[in-house]
Structures are given as structure tokens and as C-alpha cells.
Amino acid sequence: MRFFSRNHIFHRSYWDSKYSKGVAFLRSYARFRETKSQQGFTQKDYALRNAGWSMSMYLSRGAVHGYTDLIPSFSQPQEKKYVAPVEELTSAIRTAGKKLGIHEIGFTKTNHEFHYADKFDQYNPSRKLPPPKLEGLDNCIVIAVSVDYDPLKTTPSAITGVDAGGGYSLCTTQGLSLVDFIHGLGYNAILSLNDTALCIPYAIEAGLGEYGRNGLLINETYGPRFRIAKIFTDIPVTHDSPKKHGVEEFCNNCNNCSSSCPAKAIPDGPPSVNIHNISNIQGVKKWTVDAEKCYNFWLNINTECGICIRTCPFNKDLDKFWHRMYVKIIFNPLRKLKLYKTLLKIEKSIGFDKRVKPKKWWESETFKK
Amino acid sequence: MRFFSRNHIFHRSYWDSKYSKGVAFLRSYARFRETKSQQGFTQKDYALRNAGWSMSMYLSRGAVHGYTDLIPSFSQPQEKKYVAPVEELTSAIRTAGKKLGIHEIGFTKTNHEFHYADKFDQYNPSRKLPPPKLEGLDNCIVIAVSVDYDPLKTTPSAITGVDAGGGYSLCTTQGLSLVDFIHGLGYNAILSLNDTALCIPYAIEAGLGEYGRNGLLINETYGPRFRIAKIFTDIPVTHDSPKKHGVEEFCNNCNNCSSSCPAKAIPDGPPSVNIHNISNIQGVKKWTVDAEKCYNFWLNINTECGICIRTCPFNKDLDKFWHRMYVKIIFNPLRKLKLYKTLLKIEKSIGFDKRVKPKKWWESETFKK
């Protein structure tokens, strides 16, 4: 059964009185109002959060967090089509995408089962709009961007947003640039962030990762620190297929995210078809995060959370030599030997998932030079 | 004497019949027309070039290459100012900028000697417009972005543009995001690319590098592979000062760029006050590139060149382990020992400055995964 995007927890802000506080909350990403003296929630922290989100907010032209509308392109397809074997076209898009700074790219077919049953209009929430048809756009290119680990280490704090938003902003600017490339080859393409269709099933189909307990896509290289977008297009491409890298079994043996979630929104049992409320997807056997509990926590702290990303053992900073060595020498071998308990003990003792104080983050020597 | 931007070689396309071919050339960066079957100049190559330039082209809203107008902001300053010691404000901007993906940031005072004497209107070239006053914006933040080396290795080719344009696009999107951060702190800020003022003197003042024989800024880390922008602002900041790292003496002993320039546009002698034509800056003792010869070559190959960047020994790919090792073990020690001739012989024998064939670049294994 297709999901009604009006039931998305963010969208309920606009019609469900239980979440009416959410309207000001979501708008604060374009212009914040409320700050505190508490470190991580000062004017400086919110200014940084919004700077991270800025390109995503502005280029989606008012669509909150890119959640309602396809992202308008700046360019048009060239009249002349670049004709080449499907393998060359696929390879050219992958090369162009990587050069434009996109970290992972996968290809699959457009599957309307992943699409919302409606289109939500935040300015007129009772309006019933059909979802976009995307006629002829039978292929879907899934793109994903990973951002730095360190801002996320301060979560909960407004600093985290420079990371989360920074990922969406890059998905927007570099996604639009990749759309421009496809237009340059003479084909149609349109960028989609969290509007129109669910990103995770598309990313799984395109071989970008596996679904994790925290309800996020876990990528083999970047773990859960990953923002996803998609491009619907009519350019011929070869299709990738789903890839497993042991996430399901790992998550079955790890409860870091659920035990560290202050909202108790993440299940600690096995995957099931049970849902918590109308904001969850029906009929899929999976770990299902209680979106109401999660969003209430966001509204309380007045910014996005991300503790379930910070505490996920798949989250490592591959820009740092010693993180890479740890992954290679300890994390991956123990994971493959299924020594989950030993591995999780080591993680705890090293303090990998510990929060970094926002004040300490701002004073970090890394950025001084 | 301040430079009249109407004499900028790009702008002469709009009023000097000798360069009237330049109008279509510059517009082709928003939408290309002419492609060839020759590798490096096919539709695929131009599509990639324009994808790299896209954010710079579109967000500067019609200003060619960001050369005429300040880049409009999406945000406005917050009413409330974030008050803190000047050191904290400077450090916060540096941290925010680095987190937003800007590679180098320096601070200096606004100096109108570096500003153009006029503002050029490409739609009405005979119109005499005064330059923007920037009242109260007494500080200048210089930001710079480095991009990958490999596209540039194919120069001359349209592929190079994904690198050159990609740098300007990131200067634009991440520069606008940094403007958003400063607005969030309650101060005024406006982004400037190649409009309004010369970037290189500002970058030198802000300690971002030294001037090289090829007329470019040579940064200590990224060499000449570097795109620069500036933010004029009223936020209080501490000022950096110029830093030397031996470029002048190196360039005095190296003629790689001038001997490899097919247009013979780069001088092979010592710095002088001599200029070639009205598109050069007067009264500064420096190496002066013949902008007419350079631009004529661009018009002939129908895309930007960059051979003087490709062949500059300061250009190394610091993302690659063996490049970093080479710089550490051979390049830097020999440079510091002033063994320029030995160093340049090694460079040649390794083939560091050799062109990579565009077809080979597209087929490179690096992007396949």
C-alpha cells in the first residue's frame, strides 16, 4: 500500500493540531527565531545549522526540507541526443556524478510502488493533489552524499544540522549539476529529494546499502552518515541490484541506537510488520521507528536529533587515518567473524559513540589553520 | 590606477569587434551549441563542462562567469547581533567555512585600490556605471576552493571545465552558505566572485598564497589549482598578512608554463611593469600574461584552456598517496635546497605535466565503482 505523504510526520505539522508547533520549527530552518544560552543551542550554533541547510532550503524554493516538490531545474535538455551504447551512458553519468562530488551513485528502474499516493501542499493542507506522473522517466539514478562525522558527534545540538543539512544541500546543488549533465546529453531528468517517493527503497534497489535498525540506509563505506536523492530520467542506463553487507545480522545483535534514543522511538526487537501510527509505512516487515516519538523529541530540543547516527557502529570517519585503520584491523574482521559482542565492547571502551561538547567542537584545533 | 572592468578581456567581447566571437563563447557556458567529433570536444565533454559550471552560472543569475555582479544572497541578517570577542568571531567564520567545504579562508580589510573603477553592463556596454560602494563593509573574507587534478590533466579539452567551473560553483554555493552564516550572526555580508574587485591581490593580502609566473595565485598546499571568491562584510575580524613560500624564486627558475603555452601569452623573463594591451593592469611590477593572446586561444579551441595550470610544478594531487609522498620526499626538499634544475628534470622525466587523452580519462577505472 502506497504511503500518503500528508501523513509524513513533518507534514502533519500543517494539519494535525498535536504537531502545530512543527510549522514554526520547520520554518526556522530558513530563518531561526529562538536560541538559548546553552552550548550547542546558541545563535552561533543555529547560524551554522542554517548555513548548512541553506542551499537545500533555497533551491527547493520554499518546499520544506525538499519534502513536497521536485527540485526545479535551471537547464533544459539539448535538442540533439548523444547516442551511445547504454554502458557508455551509464559509465558517463557515474563519472560525471563522482567528479561533481557525489559519493555514491546507483541505477534502477522507476518503481511507482515507492512513490507517495498523493502530493502534499503545505500552504493548503486539505487540498487533494495527485502525485507527479513522471511520464517516460522510467529510470531512477540514486545519488548519495556523505558528510563529516565531527559535527554529528555533538548531537543533540544545532551544530549537527551543518552536517545533515550540508548533505541535503550537496544533494541539491550537485544533483542539479548532474541533471544539467543529462540535459546536456539531450535527455530529460528531474531531481527529487524527499518529495515524490521514498528514498531508502530506491537506494536499496540501486545497491547503495542495507536497511538498519535505526530506520536508515547503512552504506558499506559511509555507514548511516549519508543523505540520499534521486534523479528520474529517460536516459538509457543499466540497472544495479541490491547488495548485502551483513547489516541485518549486525543490527540483530546490536542495540546501540535503540538503547541510546532518549525518545525510545527505536525498536529493540526483531523486524516486524507492526506499525506505531499513521506516519509509518504499512505492510513491510522491518524495524519501524516511532516517528511521533522521534519528532516530539526534535520539537522539544528545537532542532533535528541524530543520536541514532552518532551511536551507530557503522559510522566512522574515513577521512581520518586512525578511523580507517580501526575499521580495517578491528571493526571489519570482528564483524565478519560475527564476534559482535566483543566488537561492541571495544566500541564502548574506545568511546566511539560519546557526545563531544559543542563548545569543545567550536574550539577544535582542526579548523584553526 | 584602478582597472576599468570594461577592459577585461571577457567584457571586450561585448564592445570590441575583435572579440565579438566571445559573446557566443561566453553564453555557451549556460547552453552550448557547437561540438566536434574530436575527443575532448564532443557533446559529452561539453555537457560535463557545463554541469561543472552550472551552479556558478545559474546562481550568479546571468552574470557571465560571475564577472559583473555581486552574487545575490538568499538570506537577510538576523535582527539580533551575536556579540563576542573578535577572535571568537574570526575563529567561528573559519570553522563554519571549513565545515561548509571551503579549503582556505583568509581575512583582510576592504581595500578599494583592488576594486574596479567601473561596473560593466554586458547588456548595455556603453553605459557608464559606478562600482558598488559597499558602504560599511570594511572587512574582506577571502575564500578558496581547490578541485580535482585529473580533469585538468586533459587540457586542452572541454572536460577541464568541470574542474574550473566546479571550483567557481563551489565558491558560489558554499560562499552563499557562509554569507548565510554571517547573516545568522546578525551582520551584513555579500559574496563576490570575479565581479567588483580583483581576487588575487585580496588573496595575497589575506595570506592565501603568492603570485606566480602564470598570473595565478600559487597556494602552498593546492598550488595553482584554486578558485577564489571574497565576502565583503561588517563583522569584526582579525586580519591575516601576506605569506611567502618561495614562489617568486621558483618561478624565476622555471619556465614550464611559458614554454608550454601554445599562445605564447606568458612572459619568460623577470617581472616588469610592461603591459601588453588595455586588458592588463597598469603600474604593478609583475609577470603579466597577454590576455589577448590567451583569450584568442580560448576562442579558437572553443573552451577555456588551463595548460599553464597543468604544467605548473606546484600542481599536485594531494588526494593521492603517491603524489603526497612525492611532494614530501622529493619536491619540497629539492625546492628548499633551491635545486630547481634537478627538480624540474625529475618532473619532466616522471611526466607530471603530460596531457592525458580525454577518451582515456572517461574510461578511467577510478570512477567505475
Side-chain angles (χ1 to χ4, degrees), chain A residues 98-99 148 150 369, chain B residues 43 98-99 148 150 369:
Chain A
K98 295 256 163 137
K99 274 297 95 177
D148 297 340
D150 58 272
K369 282 181 263 174
Chain B
Q43 185 171 357
K98 295 259 163 134
K99 274 296 97 178
D148 297 340
D150 58 274
K369 281 180 262 173

Side-chain angles (χ1 to χ4, degrees), chain A residues 10 22 44 69 96 116 122 141 180 184 202 218 236 251-252 278 289-290 323 342 361:
Chain A
F10 289 166
K44 183 166 78 168
D69 293 86
Y116 298 134
Q122 73 206 59
I141 304 170
D180 196 309
Y202 265 123
I218 312 287
C251 289
N252 270 326
I278 57 162
V289 172
D290 187 329
H323 269 229
T342 317
W361 182 85

Side-chain angles (χ1 to χ4, degrees), chain B residues 266-318:
Chain B
I266 302 173
D268 55 10
S272 96
V273 291
N274 295 343
I275 62 165
H276 305 281
N277 50 61
I278 57 161
S279 289
N280 290 138
I281 294 157
Q282 288 178 46
V284 185
K285 190 177 170 189
K286 65 181 188 76
W287 289 292
T288 290
V289 172
D290 186 329
E292 291 187 356
K293 286 185 182 168
C294 176
Y295 192 46
N296 270 324
F297 185 74
W298 290 28
L299 293 174
N300 282 338
I301 61 168
N302 195 32
T303 197
E304 68 250 57
C305 181
I307 297 176
C308 61
I309 308 179
R310 191 190 87 209
T311 59
C312 175
F314 282 103
N315 198 21
K316 294 289 174 289
D317 188 352
L318 299 171

